[in-house]
Structure formats: C-alpha cells, structure tokens
Amino acid sequence: MSGPRTPIGPGEGGTRQTDGNRPLVELSHVEKHYGSLHVLKDINLHVDTGEVLVVVGPSGSGKSTMCRTINRLESIDSGVIRIDGEPLPQEGKELARLRAEVGMVFQSFNLFANKTILENMTLAPMKVRHMSRKDADDMAMDLLARVGVESQASKMPSQLSGGQQQRVAIARALAMQPKIMLFDEPTSALDPEMVNEVLDVMIELANEGMTMICVTHEMGFARKAADRVVFMADGRILEEGRPDDFFEHPKTKRAQDFLSKILTR
Ligand SMILES: Nc1ncnc2c1ncn2[C@@H]1O[C@H](COP(=O)(O)OP(=O)(O)OP(=O)(O)O)[C@@H](O)[C@H]1O
Ligand SMILES: [Mg+2]
C-alpha cells in the first residue's frame, strides 16, 4: 500500500484536543436489558488513546451489544459511557457529532448497494463534514489506495469480493476521521482466503496508532496487534489482560473452556 497518505492519527479532524491523561473511551457501571434479558452487567472498561483492545467471548455474551452502545446504536439502562471525557448524549446534533468520532465496521459489509465505491466513500464526509466534492474525492482515493482497492472506485459493491468490500468499509469509516474504530467480527463472514487481507489492513491501522476495539476471535491478530484482551461471558467482563497472558494462562474456568474450544477448531 503505497502512495500519498491521508493522516488518520487519533484526534485529527476533530476540533478538540485529546487529553492524554484520560481514557478515550470509558464505560462505567453500564447496564443493559433487552426486556427481561440482562445483556450487559456492570461493564467497566476504559480504552486509552492509541490502545488496541480485543474483545472475545462465547456467542451471546454481549460483545456486539457493548460495541453498539459505544456509538449509541443501542441505548443503555444505567451507567455512563464517555468518549474523550464527554458523556454520550441521548440524541440530536451532539450525538451525531460524537458518533462521527466513532467509526464502526460490522460483520456484514453494509455498503450502500446502489452507490459506487467512490460514492460510498464520499457521501458522509460531504454531508456531515461538509467537505467539497473535490476534497472528498481526493481523500477517498487516498484511503482506497491505502487499503489496496483504488482500482475499484467506480464499481458497485456487488462487483467486489467480500474481502475488497470489507476493506472499503474500513476505508469508508476512516474517511470520517474517527478518533476510535470499532470492529465487530469484521472477518467472520469472509471466505478464509480473504481474511488476511482485511486483518493486514487492521494491523497496519493499529501500528499507525489508531485506537481500536475489535471483537474478533482471530488469535493471530490479537497476538500481533492487541495491547489488551477482554473476555466476556454472560454480559460480564470476566477477565482482562495482555494477549499472551490471557491466551496462555486464562484464569477463569469459563475462559479456559472457551479457549479450548476455539483453539482446537
Ligand atoms: N435487538 C435485540 N433484542 C433482543 N435481544 C437481543 C437483541 N440483540 C441481542 N440480543 C440478545 O442479547 C444477548 C447478547 O447478544 P450480542 O449480540 O451482544 O452477543 P455477542 O457476544 O455479540 O454474540 P455473537 O458472538 O453470537 O455475535 C444475546 O442473548 C442476544 O440474543
Ligand atoms: Mg456479536
């Protein structure tokens, strides 16, 4: 991935300076129910600027829900979520602004099917960031080059492979110059041969200092790129540690069972 680079360092594009002493993302005593189902139980978590956090845990443990509360796709019942020191607002302009600081990439590619790759890239920067078409196009082409798909710019999403679409989804999120990127199992819907091309982009982002929360069971990625691993089960964070410590010496029975299953798969 060569060529001119659009800087994506944490805090760039925002108007406020990041205070190095406080966490960029902070969840404090967060609780959430879906009806009678208690899905997040006293979640306390902080992610510092530049930190890469990997979240693992069995299906249904609340990993996606936790991610979705961080950019307020889901509301919480109680507790506080702060981004760069500011509590997440409930709605309105402030919410839109804070949400623009959090990029999210999902398992399914979520590109607009009836728009070209370039249009997918430039829509939000022009609408939300009020960029001119020329600036948005230039930035989009830069970012597409960085993830290795600049030659696809005029195609429709359905004409791209899953791995290419997911790289566009990452580039599209980066086009908003987010302070943090959330990834929810970004490679789990991909054919095996396309997994690495997406993980390589994520590793490069991590190496460049992007703050990242990644729900993924890709151990190789976790070991290469993560500063910390969080293990969730039944809506709680049960363990937290350095990747090598966690994968080699899980403390709880729950984590041991979980790891023995995914490591032998
Ligand atoms: N919109 C919803 N309405 C009702 N229940 C939901 C909703 N979304 C998730 N749940 C439930 O909340 C719990 C946590 O789900 P969540 O998707 O956060 O788990 P997960 O850890 O991401 O699982 P997976 O590994 O399968 O993606 C599950 O029991 C799930 O069935
Ligand atoms: Mg999930």
Side-chain angles (χ1 to χ4, degrees), residues 87-190:
L88 270 183
Q90 291 299 302
E91 55 198 13
K93 261 203 164 138
E94 281 297 286
L95 176 61
R97 187 177 60 76
L98 269 182
R99 202 180 258 161
E101 295 180 345
V102 181
M104 184 144 183
V105 177
F106 301 89
Q107 176 176 350
S108 54
F109 316 126
N110 290 112
L111 298 176
F112 301 113
N114 58 347
K115 300 211 181 299
T116 66
I117 298 304
L118 187 64
E119 287 166 349
N120 263 278
M121 292 288 298
T122 55
L123 204 67
M126 285 168 61
K127 204 168 163 186
V128 181
R129 296 272 191 232
H130 307 295
M131 271 190 159
S132 69
R133 172 167 300 279
K134 164 97 177 62
D135 287 350
D137 282 354
D138 288 350
M139 182 178 66
M141 291 310 296
D142 247 28
L143 286 167
L144 290 173
R146 289 197 45 209
V147 301
V149 292
E150 71 272 38
S151 59
Q152 314 293 319
S154 60
K155 290 192 183 164
M156 304 304 279
S158 62
Q159 296 175 288
L160 272 60
S161 73
Q164 288 172 327
Q165 288 187 54
Q166 200 60 315
R167 285 183 281 152
V168 172
I170 294 172
R172 186 178 63 171
L174 293 174
M176 293 297 281
Q177 299 178 310
K179 289 184 175 170
I180 175 163
M181 286 283 286
L182 306 179
F183 293 87
D184 190 0
E185 304 210 35
T187 59
S188 58
L190 295 175

